[in-house]
Amino acid sequence: MRRADDLDPIVRARAARAPVPQPGALPDPLAVAPAATAPNRPGGPRTGARAGLRRGAWAWPFALALLFAAGIAAWSQWRMLAELEEERRTLLADALTLESRLSDVLLAEQRNLRQLADALPAQVNDEQLVRQPQVLQGLRRLWISVLVLDSGNRVLAQAPADAARPEVLPGPTLSSGIDDGGISAHLVRATPSGGRVIVRFAPATLLRQTVPWWLAQRYDVRMVDGLGQRLAGPVQTLPSRWRQTHQVSLEPAFNDTYLELTAHEAHRPWWSTVLPLLMALFVGLSALAALVLRRRLRQLAAAESRWRTEAAWRGAIEDSLTVGLRGRDMDGRIVHVNRAFCDMVGRSPDELLGATPPFPYWAPDQMEVSMQRNQRTLAGHAPREGYEARWMTRDGRPLLVMIFEAPLVDAQGRQTGWMGSIIDITARREAEEREARHAQLLATQARLSMLGEVASALAHQLNQPLAAISGYAGGVARSLQRARFDQPEVIEAVRRLGEQAGEAGRIVQRIRAFVTRRAPQRERCEVAGIVSRATALLHRDLAAGHVELRSDLADGLPAVMVDPVLIEQVLINLVRNALDALSARPGAASRGMAPPAGGRIRIRARTAGQRFVRVDVDDDGPGLQGVDIQSLSAPFFSTKSDGMGMGLAISRSVIEAHYGALEAGASELGGARLSFTLPVADAVPVAPPPSAGEAAPTPASGSQVDAQPQPEAEVPR
Amino acid sequence: MTGAAVPAVHVVDDEASVRDAIDFLLRMHELAVRTYASGPQLLAAFDAAADASAPLRGCLLLDVRMDPMSGLQLHDELIARDNALPVLFLSGHGDIPMAVDAMSKGALDFIEKPFRDEALVERLQRALALEAERHAARSARLAVDARFGALSPRETAVMERVATGKLNKVIADELHMAVRTVEVHRSRVFVKLGVRSAAELAALLARQRAAGG
């Protein structure tokens, strides 16, 4: 497993620097937009004030609406005051104008009255009075009645005659009082005779005749006395701020009398118009809008908070994952990596983000296949069950990874890239390989122990007849000697018979000793010697099968360090197998007694590297037909109907015990090729044994059995 | 049965061919051979011979792997019967622990099949010579035992004291007898045992005791 120590200093420093996910430093998950080439990292923590401002943002439109409404109100107020002032000015001007006109009229009446008074005789009756032009004119004009009093206040005459006589005579000056027709006013003038002329008139009539229509339309025009009593004009209403009024004294034309103008229409203050309603409506709607806004903002804030929490969660999850994550856009550019991924490939995010294929972590010898896989992924054909790739860390260590690709989809459902999760299976694969090696070792052990059993039984069975042969031969030799037999070569032959039986027993013993885990007895010997001894033993079989055996040994082959008896047996076994394969060919059997077409077998020896000699046994038979060395060398596996299936199993064990490898493949002669390697004498390792990779070059067309030296065989006894 | 007394090689092997071959080989070397097909067969012959007071002579050549009784089991049985004959094992798949076990129990040799004929014959001849030697020694001891048995109790008491080198006078004191009587007994013991001096007597006695007499 890779440890943090294995990382280069930069990555380690990084890992130390950013151990805890900070909300502000989280990579933006939506950064996989094509435009974004780097995770968007929002700025530092915002201040409380700014946060407050943001939180209160919804109130701003409402506050502005209030301000606007207040402005409108202020403006209206100002406008109203200005209008009132204007109205008042107009009122004053109108009042003064009217007053002067009234005064003119009254002064004219007084003049008339003076003329009348001056013109009246001392004794006047009613008829005379009426005949007076001033009286006629006056009555016609304004006057209601004219009363002439003498100095003793007795009525001398009156016009019209039926005019009621006042009970109480008014004072010498203007007086007012209520008569039947309304309030009337009096003009009094002393006569030269000491009497008085009193003219009664109605101020209302006066007003009616004097006030122009346009004024009457605008104002209530009244005449009031000093006490505020109405003398003429419409009934008084309460003056208010909104009904402006103004009094002007009618002096000197009319003592103690005031002209009062009151605006006909009350000024409507702005707040009693539709404006405040509109404003209220506006403010209300603004408030509603603000409330809606506030709700939306709160939802937004909640959503954002949820998103931040989620992002923090996902960030923490991503960082705690041992699975590497790699986000890429549609062009294959890396837009997102998590820490596990960085640790895995031993590179910093800065190096990786924005990188485009070929990526820096691809193994140099895998560039082409990596690029093909990349094209496949971007085309959307990445296998769902994931695929394996071989990468390389920054410091050059190989990295086996399993990659699962999934499309990245944005909020609109458009695909924006690919997200790959990457699992480091280097350790797992190593463990698997270790396990496989272990299993293979176990299989070898099992094979050996089975072979041991078989060989033991075989040895016993073979030894009995061999012992008998030996015994008989010894007995015959002895008896011939005793009988003075005169043909020493016969005696010698019988003795040889016994010796050969003994030799056969020795071979059986050796093989049995080997498979019952005794180290082979290695010695320095020449490959040529082994081959020639083996071919000599095979001579008869070859001749019988009309098979041509050719030895092709390279010149200057180095001596090998092997047990010659065992290696001879292996070679004999391989050649016998080839012979059997040739004789089993279709046609070979059917020809029966006729000599078979005869196959070819070739034994070839070459050096393989500096430490091994490689021996190939080729034939032009039917070949292996896809059966590999594992199956071939399994105990009791045989292609022959009468075979025990032990030959190759033993051969393989023998070769492996010599640190070599037994291989099977296709021959250029057209049939099978079985090869084994033997260690060169001067390079034979004592310990440790060569690793599987160095043990023998692997033929491209053959399955290979890695040399697995037996633990027992490693240590020479 | 006069044959019982003839030293022979007793071959036990359940493999008839081996048995026959060994028989042939040994006969050609002028050795007496008796063959047995199994352990029980040998034991029967062994017991019969012992009962007839004419125990088997020679040596035993046992195959290790046999049915129903293996060579090693047969060896154990023979040990239980106080077998005095040398035992050699013949093994088709000799392995060291088995050989060590057999040798520690008194087997003389362990020969692997297939054997070289000269080696086998030579070892068997050696075993036979050994047995002959042992047989002679045993016979001699038995004769001496008979002579010691012929002494009267009083003579035995005198003899034991003479063997330790005591003077007649001392012996007379210890046995409460006259010196003269001691002298008579002494001369009679010398005659019966066939020795001429006290030293010779002591050596004979020591040998006899060492042999477990």
Side-chain angles (χ1 to χ4, degrees):
Chain A
M1 193 67 210
R2 307 175 57 236
R3 297 158 302 151
D5 320 295
D6 299 332
L7 301 178
D8 66 0
I10 295 170
V11 172
R12 219 177 316 145
R14 251 194 69 78
R17 227 185 312 130
V20 180
Q22 294 166 345
L26 280 174
D28 191 337
L30 303 177
V32 193
T37 56
N40 178 15
R41 289 164 198 276
R46 58 178 55 77
T47 62
R50 281 189 62 186
L53 269 180
R54 262 201 71 182
R55 262 200 300 280
W58 60 271
W60 275 102
F62 181 58
L64 285 173
L66 279 181
L67 199 65
F68 179 69
I72 294 282
W75 181 76
S76 301
Q77 179 74 15
W78 177 76
R79 280 292 303 152
M80 188 186 73
L81 290 177
E83 275 172 21
L84 282 175
E85 186 59 33
E86 185 62 34
E87 275 178 33
R88 181 140 201 91
R89 280 168 191 277
T90 315
L91 181 64
L92 282 176
D94 288 347
L96 288 174
T97 310
L98 191 58
E99 183 259 350
S100 75
R101 282 181 72 169
L102 274 173
S103 294
D104 286 351
V105 171
L106 283 173
L107 285 175
E109 292 302 332
Q110 282 181 350
R111 231 176 5 255
N112 288 340
L113 184 56
R114 197 165 56 239
Q115 287 170 1
L116 177 67
D118 290 348
L120 270 180
Q123 285 302 314
V124 68
N125 56 19
D126 292 353
E127 286 173 28
Q128 289 173 326
L129 186 60
V130 171
R131 263 190 243 114
Q132 288 294 320
Q134 284 88 1
V135 172
L136 284 174
Q137 283 172 10
L139 284 177
R140 225 183 0 255
R141 203 166 52 233
L142 179 67
W143 298 356
I144 299 169
S145 62
V146 180
L147 196 64
V148 180
L149 298 178
D150 64 3
S151 58
N153 276 347
R154 282 172 306 235
V155 175
L156 294 178
Q158 65 175 13
D162 58 342
R165 291 171 190 273
E167 298 284 325
V168 181
L169 293 174
T173 58
L174 177 83
S175 69
S176 60
I178 297 168
D179 60 4
D180 300 336
I183 291 169
S184 57
H186 305 269
L187 291 172
V188 181
R189 183 72 190 187
T191 56
S193 59
R196 287 180 296 166
V197 180
I198 299 172
V199 173
R200 200 160 62 95
F201 67 95
T205 313
L206 173 69
L207 282 182
R208 216 171 19 252
Q209 289 175 357
T210 316
V211 177
W213 61 270
W214 49 272
L215 267 183
Q217 241 182 4
R218 280 167 64 181
Y219 305 109
D220 289 343
V221 182
R222 269 184 303 273
M223 293 175 72
V224 293
D225 62 11
L227 296 172
Q229 287 278 320
R230 177 175 66 104
L231 298 180
V235 177
Q236 200 162 8
T237 54
L238 276 177
S240 72
R241 197 178 161 196
W242 312 117
R243 287 172 73 96
Q244 295 201 67
T245 181
H246 190 67
Q247 286 187 348
V248 188
S249 176
L250 286 173
E251 304 255 10
F254 212 168
N255 284 340
D256 201 20
T257 303
Y258 299 91
L259 178 69
E260 187 187 88
L261 266 73
T262 301
H264 207 64
E265 300 248 336
H267 187 88
R268 293 193 66 155
W270 60 269
W271 53 79
S272 65
T273 61
V274 77
L275 185 65
L277 196 66
L278 289 174
M279 275 163 57
L281 198 63
F282 172 66
V283 170
L285 285 174
S286 298
L288 198 66
L291 277 176
V292 170
L293 189 63
R294 178 164 171 265
R295 238 177 61 190
R296 293 293 303 158
L297 277 176
R298 286 207 168 165
Q299 284 171 353
L300 210 63
E304 190 182 327
S305 159
R306 274 199 305 276
W307 168 74
R308 281 187 188 285
T309 312
E310 204 171 303
W313 266 82
R314 207 192 33 241
I317 289 169
E318 268 194 17
D319 281 347
S320 71
L321 277 181
T322 56
V323 174
L325 292 178
R326 175 189 68 176
R328 296 193 292 164
D329 64 15
M330 295 306 280
D331 300 327
R333 185 181 294 116
I334 296 182
V335 292
H336 177 75
V337 289
N338 73 342
R339 190 182 316 153
F341 184 82
C342 296
D343 291 349
M344 216 178 269
V345 299
R347 287 172 193 274
S348 70
D350 299 338
E351 279 178 272
L352 296 171
L353 289 173
T356 50
F359 294 121
Y361 47 76
W362 284 358
D365 55 332
Q366 296 268 304
M367 280 299 172
E368 210 160 298
V369 63
S370 294
M371 193 54 99
Q372 280 167 6
R373 274 199 300 254
N374 181 58
Q375 299 293 348
R376 184 185 60 178
T377 299
L378 293 182
H381 301 312
R384 281 194 64 76
E385 65 277 8
Y387 59 91
E388 280 182 20
R390 195 149 61 75
W391 288 354
M392 204 179 67
T393 61
R394 188 195 185 87
D395 42 8
R397 276 178 298 114
L399 183 65
L400 262 176
V401 291
M402 192 81 191
I403 305 173
F404 303 89
E405 297 276 6
L408 263 177
V409 175
D410 69 3
Q412 281 76 46
R414 273 179 302 138
Q415 189 184 347
T416 59
W418 296 93
M419 176 60 81
S421 53
I422 289 106
I423 299 170
D424 184 353
I425 55 169
T426 313
R428 197 206 299 168
R429 180 55 47 87
E430 278 170 4
E432 278 170 10
E433 279 168 9
R434 255 202 314 281
E435 213 166 286
R437 276 201 296 276
H438 188 62
Q440 206 176 356
L441 193 66
L442 281 182
T444 307
Q445 301 281 12
R447 200 162 60 231
L448 272 183
S449 96
M450 194 174 348
L451 284 176
E453 293 284 317
V454 173
S456 211
L458 208 63
H460 184 73
Q461 294 304 321
L462 275 178
N463 278 334
Q464 303 291 5
L466 287 174
I469 292 168
S470 190
Y472 284 126
V476 169
R478 177 73 185 170
S479 68
L480 288 176
Q481 276 177 336
R482 278 175 60 200
R484 308 259 186 269
F485 193 69
D486 59 352
Q487 286 187 321
E489 59 268 33
V490 172
I491 297 177
E492 185 56 29
V494 173
R495 197 180 305 279
R496 286 264 178 81
L497 184 64
E499 272 172 20
Q500 285 302 308
E503 176 68 11
R506 196 168 64 82
I507 291 170
V508 170
Q509 292 291 14
R510 190 78 70 83
I511 290 174
R512 191 175 62 97
F514 166 72
V515 295
T516 49
R517 303 180 186 182
R518 277 181 217 164
Q521 283 141 32
R522 289 192 192 80
E523 54 191 75
R524 189 188 174 89
C525 42
E526 297 295 330
V527 178
I530 295 173
V531 172
S532 64
R533 275 197 298 277
T535 46
L537 285 169
L538 287 162
H539 182 74
R540 278 185 57 81
D541 298 314
L542 292 166
H546 297 274
V547 171
E548 175 201 350
L549 177 79
R550 207 152 56 78
S551 295
D552 174 13
L553 309 182
D555 294 332
L557 276 178
V560 289
M561 197 65 171
V562 293
D563 186 328
V565 175
L566 291 177
I567 299 303
E568 268 170 51
Q569 294 303 315
V570 170
L571 193 55
I572 288 169
N573 187 260
L574 295 185
V575 174
R576 281 239 166 84
N577 281 343
L579 266 172
D580 291 341
L582 290 175
S583 61
R585 268 194 307 196
S590 62
R591 287 183 201 181
M593 299 307 290
R600 277 188 298 152
I601 296 178
R602 187 181 66 191
I603 299 176
R604 194 165 65 164
R606 294 279 184 275
T607 52
Q610 297 195 333
R611 299 169 58 181
F612 288 91
V613 172
R614 179 193 173 95
V615 180
D616 298 328
V617 178
D618 292 74
D619 65 57
D620 59 352
L624 299 173
Q625 282 143 9
V627 184
D628 64 4
I629 188 68
Q630 297 283 0
S631 309
L632 285 175
S633 61
F636 310 117
F637 174 92
S638 183
T639 55
K640 293 169 263 177
S641 51
D642 57 347
M644 272 255 305
M646 300 306 292
L648 274 178
I650 295 175
S651 296
R652 184 177 163 191
S653 296
V654 167
I655 295 298
E656 287 174 4
H658 284 89
Y659 313 128
L662 183 69
E663 295 154 14
S667 167
E668 56 220 40
L669 297 183
R673 164 182 288 177
L674 281 136
S675 320
F676 57 88
T677 49
L678 299 172
V680 169
D682 302 324
V684 68
V686 177
S691 75
E694 297 167 326
T698 310
S701 62
S703 54
Q704 149 144 38
V705 181
D706 289 341
Q708 294 295 331
Q710 311 309 318
E712 296 81 21
E714 275 175 39
V715 185
R717 302 206 178 158
Chain B
M1 288 277 280
T2 52
V6 177
V9 179
H10 303 271
V11 178
V12 187
D13 197 321
D14 58 350
E15 196 72 30
S17 63
V18 177
R19 214 162 54 226
D20 191 45
I22 292 175
D23 178 44
F24 176 66
L25 173 69
L26 298 185
R27 274 194 287 107
M28 289 306 108
H29 283 271
E30 291 145 349
L31 295 173
V33 185
R34 300 278 297 274
T35 59
Y36 308 86
S38 70
Q41 208 179 328
L42 172 78
L43 286 177
F46 189 90
D47 291 343
D51 290 345
S53 301
L56 296 180
R57 291 286 314 280
C59 65
L60 299 167
L61 182 63
L62 312 181
D63 187 26
V64 171
R65 198 178 277 193
M66 289 190 297
D67 269 336
M69 185 185 282
S70 80
L72 296 172
Q73 283 171 325
L74 178 56
H75 190 209
D76 288 344
E77 287 289 329
L78 290 169
I79 290 169
R81 285 167 166 78
D82 280 335
N83 168 47
L85 304 182
V87 175
L88 291 89
F89 279 105
L90 195 59
S91 170
H93 55 112
D95 64 330
I96 311 268
M98 196 197 286
V100 168
D101 186 37
M103 302 292 271
S104 71
K105 283 179 177 168
L108 187 67
D109 215 336
F110 207 92
I111 301 162
E112 286 198 29
K113 286 189 209 170
F115 43 80
R116 275 176 48 239
D117 51 343
E118 292 95 341
L120 177 67
V121 170
E122 189 208 349
R123 290 187 194 190
L124 286 173
Q125 282 169 339
R126 232 189 291 151
L128 288 173
L130 178 72
E131 196 269 343
E133 204 176 292
R134 279 192 197 158
H135 183 74
R138 193 148 168 264
S139 304
R141 201 175 67 239
L142 285 174
V144 174
D145 275 351
R147 278 183 273 166
F148 275 108
L151 298 181
S152 72
R154 204 134 271 256
E155 284 166 355
T156 304
V158 171
M159 180 273 291
E160 283 168 350
R161 285 169 175 76
V162 169
T164 57
K166 287 179 178 166
L167 297 175
N168 288 353
K169 209 170 144 210
V170 178
I171 297 168
D173 274 359
E174 283 181 7
L175 296 178
H176 308 290
M177 56 174 67
V179 175
R180 177 72 196 152
T181 316
V182 173
E183 283 174 354
V184 171
H185 280 308
R186 182 186 181 125
S187 63
R188 216 177 283 162
V189 166
F190 276 26
V191 169
K192 278 187 180 173
L193 293 182
V195 295
R196 280 176 307 213
S197 68
E200 238 177 273
L201 171 65
L204 182 67
L205 190 63
R207 243 189 351 257
Q208 195 69 9
R209 286 200 174 145

